[in-house]
């Protein structure tokens, strides 16, 4: 188990891993179609995608939080 101080980094690593895995597979299929070396090409693309996605999560997380805060309606305080 990891100490709680690593929660943000571990979350970013896991989430970027899932997203890079799925997106690299989808885009590899769209660009190349299914062929005998598909899985190898997908894993090659995944390694590059995850290496890019992980640091980009840290770069864009603050902006994403700000945009989300602007788009979320605050709960109304009732005067009851």
């Amino acid at each position: 188990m990891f100490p709680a101080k690593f929660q943000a980094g571990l979350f970013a690593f896991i989430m970027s891993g899932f997203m890079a895995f799925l997106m690299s597979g989808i885009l590899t299929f769209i660009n190349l179609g299914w062929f005998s070396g598909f899985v190898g090409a997908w894993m090659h693309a995944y390694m590059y995608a995850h290496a890019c996605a992980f640091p980009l999560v840290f770069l864009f997380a603050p902006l994403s939080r700000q945009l989300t805060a602007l788009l979320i309606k605050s709960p109304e305080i009732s005067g009851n």
Side-chain angles (χ1 to χ4, degrees), residues 9-51:
L10 189 57
F11 175 83
F13 183 79
I14 293 169
M15 190 65 187
S16 65
F18 283 139
M19 291 300 296
F21 182 75
L22 294 171
M23 293 303 299
S24 63
I26 291 166
L27 292 173
T28 299
F29 182 75
I30 289 171
N31 288 319
L32 302 176
W34 188 262
F35 62 100
S36 63
F38 177 82
V39 174
W42 178 6
M43 292 304 107
H44 184 77
Y46 166 68
M47 298 308 283
Y48 283 103
H50 196 206

